[in-house]
């Protein structure tokens, strides 16, 4: 599979957990569905067309994320106003990621979406975007930097070490002499054509802040090769 490796960062981000409507909480890192929305913004695909593309791209693309810094969350209050009626509502408390910074792998699983993927790679490589890319909300602009193109192997099974996330089906190898911190989240992997994240297709994941990554005793992974190295990632 063809792939692109990029860095995504910003001052703030909010990737809303759908089960927290009144005082929205955020996932710990960019979700697959948020990444698909970002791809649409960079390629200049309007919201009407993206509505039908979300389920297609959810199936045709794979992604992985490595955290470049610790997850820091802060809560801020906003007073929401209607654009039709000049009425003020009580403030909503939104949870934000502070200074998010991710290394992201995006791979093309299905040739059906080849044109969208190739346009995205070209735009990122040439530092172009048709719409302003954001990290979940319009007031959270994203900085996107091209790292490299890459090639992704067929799915492998066995022991591996990754700097990205893994699933709750992987078996972690714990070194008692190594002190590291692991975080956990449950991430959406599929959005339908009504902008709804299918609750049946959420996946529990674990991630590490350590530069040494996570040692896995057994599980599925992919080899991702660019011009400098071959690394192992779990892609969803």
């Amino acid at each position: 599979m063809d792939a692109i490796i990029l860095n995504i960062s910003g001052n703030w981000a909010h990737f809303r957990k759908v089960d927290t409507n009144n005082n929205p909480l955020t996932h710990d890192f960019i979700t697959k569905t948020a990444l698909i929305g970002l791809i649409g913004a960079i390629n200049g695909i309007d919201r009407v067309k993206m509505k039908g593309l979300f389920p297609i791209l959810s199936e045709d693309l794979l992604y992985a994320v490595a955290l470049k810094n610790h997850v820091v969350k802060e809560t801020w209050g906003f007073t929401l106003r209607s654009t039709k009626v000049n009425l003020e509502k009580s403030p909503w408390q939104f949870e934000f990621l502070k200074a998010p910074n991710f290394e992201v792998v995006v791979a093309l699983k299905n040739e059906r979406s080849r044109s969208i993927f190739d346009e995205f790679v070209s735009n990122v490589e040439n530092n172009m975007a048709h719409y302003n890319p954001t990290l979940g909300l319009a007031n959270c602009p994203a900085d996107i930097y091209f790292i490299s193109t890459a090639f992704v192997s067929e799915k492998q099974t066995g022991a591996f070490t990754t700097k990205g996330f893994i699933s709750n089906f992987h078996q972690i190898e714990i070194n008692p002499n190594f002190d590291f911190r692991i975080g956990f989240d449950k991430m959406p992997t599929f959005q339908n054509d009504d902008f709804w994240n299918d609750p049946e297709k959420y996946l529990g994941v674990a991630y590490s802040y350590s530069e040494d990554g996570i040692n896995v005793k057994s599980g599925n992974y992919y080899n991702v090769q660019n011009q400098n190295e071959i690394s192992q990632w779990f892609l969803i």
Side-chain angles (χ1 to χ4, degrees):
M1 291 181 284
D2 290 333
I4 181 175
I5 305 174
L6 58 152
N7 180 264
I8 300 176
S9 63
N11 292 325
W12 302 95
H14 175 84
F15 308 112
R16 185 172 70 87
K17 295 184 176 181
V18 297
D19 56 347
T20 57
N21 290 324
N22 292 331
N23 295 289
L25 303 180
T26 180
H27 289 286
D28 293 352
F29 53 85
I30 187 169
T31 65
K32 184 176 184 178
T33 51
L35 177 66
I36 291 171
L38 187 146
I39 290 172
I42 289 175
N43 285 6
I45 305 173
D46 63 45
R47 182 176 175 85
V48 174
K49 188 174 181 180
M50 278 303 299
K51 186 175 182 179
L53 286 175
F54 263 102
I56 294 173
L57 294 176
S58 294
E59 294 176 347
D60 291 357
L61 300 178
L62 297 175
Y63 101 122
V65 178
L67 279 69
K68 306 296 290 184
N69 56 12
H70 285 206
V71 174
V72 177
K73 297 182 179 181
E74 292 188 7
T75 299
W76 295 87
F78 293 89
T79 299
L80 303 181
R81 295 177 174 85
S82 171
T83 58
K84 296 181 180 179
V85 182
N86 188 22
L87 294 176
E88 290 192 0
K89 297 183 178 181
S90 58
W92 277 26
Q93 301 295 316
F94 279 76
E95 184 180 66
F96 287 88
L97 296 175
K98 184 177 181 180
N101 191 338
F102 316 118
E103 182 177 340
V104 180
V105 178
V106 186
L108 179 65
K109 180 183 178 182
N110 192 323
E111 287 293 323
R112 175 177 56 172
S113 296
R114 166 64 69 179
S115 61
I116 294 175
F117 176 80
D118 285 349
E119 183 178 0
F120 173 66
V121 172
S122 176
N123 285 334
V124 173
E125 191 170 4
N126 291 286
N127 196 29
M128 295 176 57
H130 293 272
Y131 302 139
N132 292 330
T134 63
L135 297 176
L137 292 177
N139 56 347
C140 299
D143 295 319
I144 303 171
Y145 297 98
F146 173 81
I147 297 177
S148 70
T149 55
F151 181 78
V152 178
S153 72
E154 295 296 324
K155 185 184 295 184
Q156 311 290 309
T157 301
F160 66 99
T161 298
T162 183
K163 56 186 175 182
F165 57 68
I166 60 173
S167 78
N168 53 0
F169 298 105
H170 290 83
Q171 295 183 0
I172 300 176
E173 181 180 341
I174 302 296
N175 184 344
N177 299 318
F178 183 63
D179 182 24
F180 67 98
R181 180 180 175 187
I182 292 181
F184 300 91
D185 205 340
K186 193 172 184 180
M187 309 298 288
T189 66
F190 182 89
Q191 189 170 108
N192 66 17
D193 58 4
D194 199 26
F195 302 115
W196 177 253
N197 294 334
D198 187 343
E200 298 296 324
K201 296 185 179 180
Y202 273 68
L203 181 68
V205 298
Y207 59 88
S208 173
Y209 299 121
S210 169
E211 294 182 358
D212 296 325
I214 300 176
N215 294 322
V216 179
K217 291 192 292 185
S218 66
N220 296 328
Y221 68 95
Y222 297 83
N223 288 314
V224 179
Q225 181 176 3
N226 63 10
Q227 64 269 30
N228 297 319
E229 63 176 353
I230 299 177
S231 54
Q232 286 74 47
W233 299 76
F234 173 63
L235 300 170
I236 60 175

